[in-house]
Amino acid sequence: EKLLKKRKKQWFEKFHWSFSSENRLILAGRDAGSNEELVKNYMKSGDLYFHPEFQGSPHCIIKTEKNFATTEEKIEAAIFVASFSKAWEAKISSLDVYSVLPEQVSKKAPQGESMGKGAFMIYGKREWLKKTPLHLAIGVQKIDEEFAVVSGAESSIKKNSLFCFRIIQGSVEKNETAK
């Protein structure tokens, strides 16, 4: 019987993570604290920011240069962040997701209001990805000569993984399915 050594985790694995079909890193928070950390410490001026129009949704970024991602990558990020929102548990099948530049995301609340941990204000025009479906794919991807189980939009998982299967909403809880 052959024992496999445990893979060393990458810095981004403390977040929900995936790679786009063009191999750009997509990151989303897991809770209020990691949402705060993601936006404040890891989102840079060249990235793109995504958020579903639904309370209980993570913040998400695509690590890019010059704020560019293909239309397919934007859809992949929207599916990814929508699927990790509380809308999954509520059995909502699609959400409207918007994208903005990092400079439009701020902790500055309107006068007389405060911003809680993991909450941000969005200023300016938004690019909308309407009726984004909630579904994920899971696959096994080779990363730096090691294998990792990955999840994300089906198009990116199919392209980057050795195999892929799709998860859709149903009667089994997402956490139970993951186990």
Side-chain angles (χ1 to χ4, degrees), residues 98-113:
Y98 61 85
S99 174
V100 297
L101 299 175
E103 296 76 33
Q104 294 175 254
V105 182
S106 175
K107 269 308 235 192
K108 292 180 184 166
Q111 190 172 355
E113 294 181 33

Side-chain angles (χ1 to χ4, degrees), residues 105-157:
V105 182
S106 175
K107 269 308 235 192
K108 292 180 184 166
Q111 190 172 355
E113 294 181 33
S114 63
M115 300 298 297
K117 188 176 190 177
F120 294 88
M121 290 295 299
I122 307 300
Y123 294 98
K125 188 177 178 187
R126 302 171 190 205
E127 178 182 346
W128 287 96
L129 296 113
K130 299 281 190 176
K131 297 184 179 177
T132 298
L134 275 67
H135 60 76
L136 287 172
I138 294 181
V140 173
Q141 188 172 347
K142 193 170 186 178
I143 301 173
D144 297 331
E145 302 304 314
E146 297 179 318
F147 295 94
V149 175
V150 294
S151 65
E154 189 172 7
S155 58
S156 64
I157 299 302

